[in-house]
Amino acid sequence: MANLKRKVRSLQWKNSKACIVVLVLGIIASLALAIAVRFYALEPVQLHDSSMFPRHKEKEILWMCKLPQCVEKIKYDETVWATLRNGESVVRKVIGLPGDRLDFSDNGKVRTPHGRFRWKEETAFIQSRQLHIPRKGDTLHLDRLNDIEQDFFVNLMHEAGKKFFVKTTLWQGEREIGVEALGATKLGNRQVSLQEIDFLPWQDRFLLEGQVFHSEPGDAPIQMRYEFFEASDSSKITEFIVPEDCYFLACEKGAFCMDSREVGYFTQSHLRGRFVKEPRIAINYIKQLGRSLLVSIIGKKKRAAQRQGDAQPEKAE
């Protein structure tokens, strides 16, 4: 008899308007969740080259988590989705975090506080260098930066929209040499123009310094020094406060691949997502967010009802 009553109630429920309303609301909620996951949480990104091989293959589709906690909690050795300053998007590997010191060898090996890395198919550096990756709020003292750090500082200034110009001087020890000496140097098979020396990358500057050293008398090494000035009033720039956390991103294959070696640091605002092997991580987060929101709404309604009840005057006896 009890089973018969349950069946009757079930049939009545299925044929009721309330059941149809609940079903429609469930479909709408599912569609809303799918749209939220697709546009807010996850995005598929296809690789168009082999720059990340063997970690990721060409034409492979990677699911990138775009949620704030995915982008803010990026770790060493993770794959991230980022944008260049020209708007082009790239997928790269994280080998340097804010606050890290990277040691580059002349054969393309990198030593970090978290592990070691090496570009495949390329010796990336012509001389060993060290690089300190700044955090948000760090103050860069320009007179303490080495040549590779100066290159990265120039990129940070461009990204921040700062208007500035550079003055290059040539020194042998503490003796200044006229920059005209650089006019007799070559990069590859072409003569160097004095108009381009203010923004030459550090590898080119190193090659030019060696050429001038062989043509100048004296045993002290040759050094090109940069000074930076505000474009508005020609005042000298001595310090720079870093506006965002910075990261060093790299390809797996070094040849013909643009990464932090060319474009400098990738700042926090240029990180669009982090690769997740299990897209359910982001989906579960959206569900938890929905539950938390629902609990919050219910809690607010209960508290409002309680306050309304407390505000009613007591009846006189």
Side-chain angles (χ1 to χ4, degrees):
M1 189 70 178
N3 289 337
L4 181 60
K5 289 181 178 180
R6 282 196 295 272
K7 289 181 179 179
V8 170
R9 285 198 297 269
S10 176
L11 289 173
Q12 289 175 340
W13 164 253
K14 289 179 180 178
N15 292 312
S16 67
K17 293 182 179 179
C19 178
I20 296 174
V21 171
V22 170
L23 182 61
V24 171
L25 289 176
I27 294 173
I28 293 174
S30 298
L31 288 173
L33 177 63
I35 292 171
V37 168
R38 172 61 183 82
F39 289 98
Y40 179 69
L42 290 173
E43 185 161 342
V45 177
Q46 187 177 38
L47 296 179
H48 298 290
D49 55 36
S50 59
S51 60
M52 293 298 291
F53 185 83
R55 169 175 287 211
H56 303 293
K57 299 178 181 178
E58 186 175 358
K59 303 299 182 183
E60 182 179 349
I61 296 177
L62 307 178
W63 284 96
M64 296 293 177
C65 176
K66 302 188 293 183
L67 296 171
Q69 77 275 14
C70 287
V71 178
E72 292 171 0
K73 297 181 180 180
I74 288 174
K75 299 178 182 178
Y76 173 78
D77 200 43
E78 289 188 317
T79 301
V80 297
W81 181 32
T83 54
L84 302 173
R85 277 180 279 280
N86 62 4
E88 180 185 353
S89 63
V90 294
V91 175
R92 298 292 181 259
K93 175 180 177 178
V94 180
I95 68 169
L97 300 173
D100 283 354
R101 191 189 78 170
L102 306 186
D103 292 291
F104 301 94
S105 69
D106 55 4
N107 59 2
K109 293 180 181 179
V110 186
R111 186 170 69 249
T112 81
H114 317 281
R116 300 197 176 201
F117 172 80
R118 183 176 185 176
W119 283 274
K120 297 176 178 64
E121 300 180 5
E122 184 179 21
T123 55
F125 292 86
I126 59 176
Q127 194 184 40
S128 299
R129 284 291 187 277
Q130 292 181 348
L131 173 68
H132 175 266
I133 302 177
R135 297 185 178 96
K136 180 180 179 179
D138 283 354
T139 300
L140 300 182
H141 300 276
L142 304 192
D143 58 345
R144 304 176 192 172
L145 303 181
N146 61 29
D147 46 9
I148 185 173
E149 290 172 335
Q150 286 179 346
D151 278 5
F152 280 44
F153 164 73
V154 168
N155 292 327
L156 280 179
M157 291 282 281
H158 284 308
E159 183 170 320
K162 301 291 185 180
K163 302 297 183 182
F164 65 100
F165 64 91
V166 181
K167 179 183 177 183
T168 303
T169 53
L170 196 62
W171 296 78
Q172 186 172 44
E174 294 305 316
R175 180 175 68 94
E176 185 174 359
I177 303 172
V179 292
E180 294 78 14
L182 293 169
T185 57
K186 291 185 177 182
L187 287 174
N189 294 322
R190 70 175 181 83
Q191 205 79 19
V192 173
S193 167
L194 294 180
Q195 284 73 34
E196 66 178 315
I197 62 173
D198 289 338
F199 289 104
L200 286 175
W202 75 269
Q203 292 101 326
D204 290 347
R205 302 204 301 271
F206 174 76
L207 294 173
L208 300 184
E209 290 168 355
Q211 294 179 47
V212 176
F213 177 72
H214 288 295
S215 62
E216 286 288 327
D219 297 328
I222 300 294
Q223 183 185 19
M224 295 172 65
R225 298 180 185 176
Y226 275 0
E227 290 181 301
F228 300 89
F229 299 88
E230 295 279 1
S232 58
D233 56 6
S234 298
S235 59
K236 188 174 181 180
I237 304 172
T238 58
E239 295 180 351
F240 179 77
I241 298 177
V242 180
E244 297 180 70
D245 280 338
C246 301
Y247 297 82
F248 194 103
L249 306 185
C251 313
E252 288 285 352
K253 297 176 69 174
F256 308 109
C257 174
M258 185 172 291
D259 57 15
S260 285
R261 291 168 296 171
E262 290 80 21
V263 302
Y265 307 115
F266 282 79
T267 53
Q268 184 73 47
S269 60
H270 284 265
L271 302 181
R272 298 180 61 183
R274 174 168 60 92
F275 170 62
V276 288
K277 294 182 180 179
E278 295 293 338
R280 287 187 175 275
I281 295 174
I283 296 174
N284 290 337
Y285 177 77
I286 291 290
K287 289 181 178 178
Q288 292 172 6
L289 193 63
R291 292 193 196 102
S292 300
L293 185 61
L294 184 61
V295 169
S296 176
I297 293 172
I298 293 173
K300 286 181 180 178
K301 287 184 177 180
K302 285 183 178 179
R303 288 192 294 272
Q306 186 177 3
R307 286 195 298 269
Q308 186 177 3
D310 294 341
Q312 291 179 355
E314 295 184 0
K315 294 182 180 180
E317 293 183 0

